[in-house]
Amino acid sequence: MPAHSVGLVAAQSARFDAPLVLKSGAVVPAYELVYETYGTLNAAKSNAILICHALSGHHHVAGYTDPEHIKETLGWWDNMIGPGKPLDTRKFFVVGVNNLGGCHGSTGPSSLNPATGHPWGADFPLVTVEDWVRAQARLADRLGIDAWAAVMGGSLGGMQALQWAIDQPERVRHAAVIAAAPRLTAENIAFNDVARQAILTDPDFHGGNFYQHHTKPARGLRLARMLGHITYLSDDQMAEKFGRKLKNDAIDYGYGVEFEIESYLRYQGDKFASWFDANTYLLMTKALDYFDPAHATDGNLAAALARARAKFLVISFTTDWRFSPARSRKIVNALVRNGQDVAYASIASQHGHDSFLMMDAQYHAIVRAYMERIAA
Amino acid sequence: MTENAITLGRPDFDAIAEWVQPQERVLDLGCGDGSLLQLLIESRGARGWGVEIDPQGVLAAIRNGINVIQSDLDAGLSGFEDGAFEHVVLSRTLQTVRNTQQIITEMLRVGREAVVSFPNFAYWKNRMAVLNGHMPLSEDLPYQWFNTPNVRFFTIADFDALCAEMAIVVQERMVFDEKGNRVLEEENFLGSLAVYRLARR
């Protein structure tokens, strides 16, 4: 077993039979959430931390699911969470959950709709970050957790941490909002829409009901992921990793793979399209686009955040241009304006938006220091 | 940690602590590990935020549970609202900031009052050093000329003149010698460190 690993983990599932009325007005009659837990909930139930996932994430956050294939089955934030890691599972009880609308076991577009006996497909309603918070709150109820010691996430996961602090002020003691933004810019939405168009115009999409046609819009999903992936990296990092390196040392004067970066992106796109659900991808990008907690307060983010009782840790990365440090500063400024507690670190990192998933000494030291104070 | 342990060698901290009332909001620019804020929170019941650019300082401040915001002072205080704080502190840092007038103006925009402390270049020992042909080295000017972070060299008299020119009210001024004892006369000659409490007119 790797050092500081939570080890072999298995997902659990919680079923909720009370209908969930979504922000859109649509109703999910019943749903299941898959989740994993690491560490031990203390007697006071005061050491629980919820990890919210980003666009393509899921409940499998730490540890591995196959002892024969440890490296391949590691959780997506395994470098952050485990015994002795920045988020120390010897002190905290950590919960990872797959969001409603996901494609890793929680109820989503690829799940069977009990009303029809077919996958939900296009009939699965769009969900918002607020809806996720409410769905996750029911899981907290089920686990007997009145208040989270912290809700933590990167990117879209950070947005959920922010929404939790606003919507459930008494249930969040700390919110760790990493590589996030208070809302998307027009540029962010534009990228998301091109990604969606790639999927929606794929002939294999079948209006979202491709399951019945025993196919999937792999070309569209692949393109969507390739585009998305570019926005997760930094120009510097791409220059360093790929530059203008050629796959076969010579230009072919054709449209095949010539540059290394093309090869890399196509590989990433193909890999992603083989395991991710296109409807979930569409739904997640829409949740991102709709996220705007200040909308209800006429664009005033400070007014929206005034309800929060949590203390905040906000972290951004210098080369993240998808959700730049300036976006995180908007959150910080609003909190300071309200006289709320917030620590903010801007981490010098090469890896663009993806930095939040990477090992970085300063980043991990900051999270460790913050979490140690929570635990104390 | 006791108050003495925190303030050892920092007479300006004691002066600042006297000016801060419970529940008042303090912004400490260049807060380092947050020692001053910790003192103000623990001994005065203040509420504190700090700005620090150095990664090690930010990490230390987070370890100390300080509301630290990693940011560059030269980029200004544009993220902060007008009048957001009762006190904005710039402790022993003004001489390292290139845009002196802008930072003072900004401090008085976001704070009801600004507290600045700086080494007095006209302290008699510093004058002696220059008369003897060398840049001064002292408790309050501890760097060599070639590695000093200081970019502005000025005196108590110079700063008084700048305040007058900028129409800033000097509400209070405390001057200390190298040992941290209060200097009450001939301050520009006998004082090594000056602490000012400033307000808008």
Side-chain angles (χ1 to χ4, degrees):
Chain A
M1 188 166 98
H4 308 299
S5 172
V6 299
L8 183 65
V9 294
Q12 302 173 70
S13 184
R15 189 180 161 78
F16 302 92
D17 287 315
L20 185 72
V21 181
L22 304 176
K23 194 182 176 194
S24 65
V27 178
V28 178
Y31 62 96
E32 256 180 79
L33 293 180
V34 289
Y35 64 98
E36 287 181 4
T37 69
Y38 325 108
T40 309
L41 188 60
N42 63 17
K45 301 188 172 183
S46 62
N47 68 332
I49 294 187
L50 176 67
I51 304 295
C52 301
H53 69 74
L55 205 158
S56 59
H58 42 69
H59 56 286
H60 178 44
V61 182
Y64 48 88
T65 53
D66 180 354
E68 304 294 317
H69 299 94
I70 290 175
K71 197 162 174 273
E72 295 80 3
T73 64
L74 276 183
W76 56 268
W77 223 353
D78 189 72
N79 60 25
M80 183 67 83
I81 297 157
K85 285 183 177 163
L87 215 174
D88 194 337
T89 50
R90 294 172 305 189
K91 294 171 186 157
F92 292 108
F93 176 68
V94 180
V95 179
V97 58
N98 184 213
N99 278 338
L100 188 64
C103 55
H104 293 87
S106 291
T107 301
S110 53
S111 314
L112 284 187
N113 179 353
T116 63
H118 295 296
W120 281 89
D123 292 334
F124 197 85
L126 290 188
V127 292
T128 63
V129 172
E130 293 101 308
D131 297 330
W132 283 335
V133 169
R134 290 173 53 237
Q136 291 161 358
R138 286 189 182 174
L139 179 63
D141 296 342
R142 187 71 58 86
L143 296 172
I145 296 160
D146 291 333
W148 299 103
V151 179
M152 174 171 173
S155 191
L156 179 55
M159 293 169 178
Q160 289 162 64
L162 201 60
Q163 194 75 53
W164 257 101
I166 293 169
D167 289 354
Q168 310 270 347
E170 308 304 328
R171 303 190 76 171
V172 186
R173 289 202 293 276
H174 295 267
V177 180
I178 303 171
R183 62 177 172 214
L184 265 57
T185 61
E187 184 186 62
N188 295 145
I189 296 170
F191 274 114
N192 279 348
D193 194 48
V194 175
R196 282 192 294 268
Q197 287 301 315
I199 296 168
L200 294 168
T201 59
D202 185 322
D204 288 334
F205 183 62
H206 297 287
N209 296 317
F210 48 88
Y211 316 97
Q212 286 95 311
H213 295 82
H214 307 290
T215 183
K216 58 183 180 182
R219 284 166 293 180
L221 186 54
R222 172 181 186 256
L223 283 176
R225 182 58 170 186
M226 287 170 73
L227 179 72
H229 204 95
I230 297 168
T231 71
Y232 304 150
L233 306 179
S234 73
D235 195 18
D236 288 353
Q237 177 198 13
M238 273 211 221
E240 188 178 302
K241 199 169 171 184
F242 307 105
R244 295 180 54 82
K245 268 185 284 190
L246 294 168
K247 191 87 186 139
N248 300 315
D249 292 330
I251 287 190
D252 299 331
Y253 298 98
Y255 298 115
V257 172
E258 293 188 294
F259 293 95
E260 286 276 10
I261 182 64
E262 297 175 316
S263 167
Y264 173 80
L265 277 181
R266 289 178 200 200
Y267 172 76
Q268 292 293 336
D270 285 337
K271 196 171 79 171
F272 187 73
S274 72
W275 64 274
F276 206 83
D277 179 73
N279 281 315
T280 290
Y281 198 88
L282 291 171
L283 172 153
M284 294 279 172
T285 62
K286 272 292 180 185
L288 271 166
D289 291 1
Y290 293 148
F291 177 72
D292 184 8
H295 182 74
T297 48
D298 297 325
N300 184 335
L301 182 62
L305 281 165
R307 291 166 48 85
R309 292 290 163 270
K311 297 176 186 232
F312 288 80
L313 172 65
V314 179
I315 298 177
S316 68
F317 300 91
T318 50
T319 53
D320 183 352
W321 57 279
R322 187 183 173 93
F323 298 142
S324 72
R327 312 293 300 143
S328 284
R329 266 310 290 270
K330 294 269 185 213
I331 299 169
V332 173
N333 294 345
L335 291 167
V336 174
R337 179 185 174 171
N338 289 339
Q340 288 164 292
D341 288 313
V342 55
Y344 168 63
S346 168
I347 308 292
S349 166
Q350 277 229 311
H351 299 284
H353 185 59
D354 265 354
S355 298
F356 85 89
L357 296 167
M358 303 290 177
M359 280 290 283
D360 177 282
Q362 173 73 4
Y363 169 38
H364 277 200
I366 295 274
V367 173
R368 181 185 294 274
Y370 194 87
M371 291 299 168
E372 276 173 0
R373 279 199 70 91
I374 296 182
Chain B
M1 215 185 294
T2 68
E3 196 176 311
N4 282 342
I6 300 173
T7 61
L8 200 65
R10 299 297 301 260
D12 50 336
F13 279 18
D14 293 331
I16 294 164
E18 276 184 35
W19 295 332
V20 173
Q21 301 302 312
Q23 290 307 311
E24 284 188 335
R25 296 181 186 187
V26 181
L27 178 66
D28 185 10
L29 304 175
C31 70
D33 66 2
S35 302
L36 172 61
L37 288 171
Q38 211 161 21
L39 168 74
L40 298 177
I41 291 162
E42 286 169 12
S43 74
R44 305 297 299 166
R47 310 212 51 224
W49 290 263
V51 174
E52 179 56 53
I53 184 64
D54 174 55
Q56 288 314 308
V58 171
L59 179 57
I62 287 178
R63 281 206 183 100
N64 289 330
I66 296 296
N67 289 321
V68 63
I69 295 155
Q70 189 165 13
S71 182
D72 186 352
L73 285 188
D74 279 324
L77 305 179
S78 55
F80 300 114
E81 297 272 320
D82 294 3
F85 304 93
E86 274 79 29
H87 310 270
V88 181
V89 179
L90 189 63
S91 172
R92 302 187 191 220
T93 306
L94 188 62
Q95 74 280 2
T96 70
V97 177
R98 208 162 277 281
N99 205 336
T100 313
Q101 282 171 288
Q102 183 197 308
I103 191 81
I104 294 170
T105 305
E106 278 289 276
M107 287 172 75
L108 286 171
R109 177 182 68 79
V110 304
R112 192 187 69 207
E113 60 181 41
V115 176
V116 296
S117 66
F118 57 85
N120 178 30
F121 201 73
Y123 178 46
W124 69 271
K125 281 190 185 172
N126 298 340
R127 298 186 194 204
M128 285 288 287
V130 174
L131 274 177
N132 287 325
H134 288 285
M135 289 299 281
L137 273 176
S138 72
E139 186 75 23
D140 295 310
L141 282 171
Y143 297 96
Q144 292 284 356
W145 65 272
F146 50 83
N147 66 8
T148 181
N150 300 339
V151 296
R152 296 281 180 259
F153 299 92
F154 53 99
T155 70
I156 289 172
D158 290 331
F159 193 71
D160 283 341
L162 181 67
C163 290
E165 190 190 315
M166 292 176 69
I168 289 167
V169 181
V170 177
Q171 291 184 308
E172 209 164 331
R173 184 178 77 185
M174 286 192 186
V175 177
F176 302 91
D177 66 18
E178 262 188 290
K179 292 194 175 70
N181 298 317
R182 186 88 190 265
V183 174
L184 296 167
E185 53 188 23
E186 294 295 337
E187 288 152 308
N188 198 38
F189 188 72
L190 298 175
S192 175
L193 180 75
V195 192
Y196 280 71
R197 193 152 71 94
L198 308 171
R200 289 179 295 260
R201 195 177 295 279

